[in-house]
Amino acid sequence: MNSEDRAVALGIAPGLEDIAERLAVYDQLLWRWQPKINLVGRSTLNAIWTRHFADSAQLAEFGNLGGQWVDLGSGAGFPGLVLALLQRFRGVGEMHLIESDSRKAAFLREVSRETGANAFIHNDRCEDVLPELTPSVLTSRAMADIATLLQYASPFVEKGAVGLFLKGRDVGAELTRTSIPSNFSIVLAPSKVDPTGAIVQVRLV
């Protein structure tokens, strides 16, 4: 674990201090699994706490951690598993992670078990799982473009749910290409981790 990276991450997202011991376990598991399957970009392995843990945790500022959260295309568990650990610490809400890759789903199950995150892991496609859920917040990072994410999220946003999507430098171009329902509000908040990125907030007007 990179102690300097950890210190920077705690400065960005102080709430991580509450779950730091569990994140240390997560960090170790990520390093152990990375040679088997490509979970994160190799260049980010020495900055796991900032690039992944703090990046994920910043979403907690934009939605009530209570209720049912659903993370679309969870991959290595960002942001879903980090937020699940915050929910567990605060004793609120539940987290569902949807991941179609069976190897990544196996990784998510091990991390959830070893850290005590108690997240629900769905090894299936989003379109097959979402009809069974009633999310109050939907999250995603690097799964798909905004147009695709809106297709998944729209039925729930129409009922009052919130979409919180971590996006990089191409967010403006994605929004330009996306047809946004007139009753939806799209607000961009700057990322605390990626100076070129943003958090796309989708809500009902």
Side-chain angles (χ1 to χ4, degrees), residues 22 25 38 41 59-60 66 80 84 87-88 92 127 138 147 150 155 177 188-189 194 197:
R22 299 177 188 277
V25 175
N38 186 34
L59 293 189
Q87 286 179 322
R88 182 189 186 281
V92 298
E127 53 266 38
L138 299 100
L150 277 180
R177 298 192 299 266
L188 301 186
D194 178 1

Side-chain angles (χ1 to χ4, degrees), residues 48-162:
I48 289 171
W49 284 70
T50 52
R51 292 288 296 276
H52 301 300
F53 294 165
D55 192 38
S56 300
Q58 65 181 321
L59 293 189
E61 300 178 16
F62 299 93
N64 181 352
L65 283 174
Q68 185 184 94
W69 286 53
V70 177
D71 190 37
L72 308 174
S74 297
F78 309 120
L81 269 182
V82 176
L83 294 167
L85 286 168
L86 290 171
Q87 286 179 322
R88 182 189 186 281
F89 176 79
R90 299 180 190 181
V92 298
E94 65 180 38
M95 176 64 70
H96 292 257
L97 288 81
I98 305 176
E99 174 53 53
S100 61
D101 185 307
S102 58
R103 297 177 304 165
K104 291 179 180 178
F107 170 75
L108 294 174
R109 290 192 184 98
E110 180 165 350
V111 175
S112 182
R113 181 176 62 252
E114 294 298 321
T115 61
N118 298 326
F120 297 90
I121 315 298
H122 304 271
N123 181 202
D124 212 332
R125 298 179 304 173
C126 292
E127 53 266 38
D128 294 328
V129 177
L130 284 171
E132 304 171 4
L133 303 175
T134 54
S136 54
V137 181
L138 299 100
T139 64
S140 185
R141 186 181 83 160
M143 174 207 169
D145 60 18
I146 292 174
T148 302
L149 293 174
L150 277 180
Q151 289 179 2
Y152 291 132
S154 288
F156 305 104
V157 174
E158 290 278 2
K159 298 176 182 177
V162 177

Side-chain angles (χ1 to χ4, degrees), residues 150-205:
L150 277 180
Q151 289 179 2
Y152 291 132
S154 288
F156 305 104
V157 174
E158 290 278 2
K159 298 176 182 177
V162 177
L164 299 175
F165 307 130
L166 288 158
K167 282 291 173 179
R169 68 178 73 236
D170 295 329
V171 61
E174 285 190 31
L175 285 170
T176 299
R177 298 192 299 266
T178 302
S179 177
I180 300 170
S182 60
N183 60 336
F184 282 16
S185 166
I186 304 289
V187 177
L188 301 186
S191 169
K192 293 182 178 181
V193 174
D194 178 1
T196 67
I199 297 160
V200 181
Q201 304 169 66
V202 185
R203 305 174 190 268
L204 199 61
V205 173

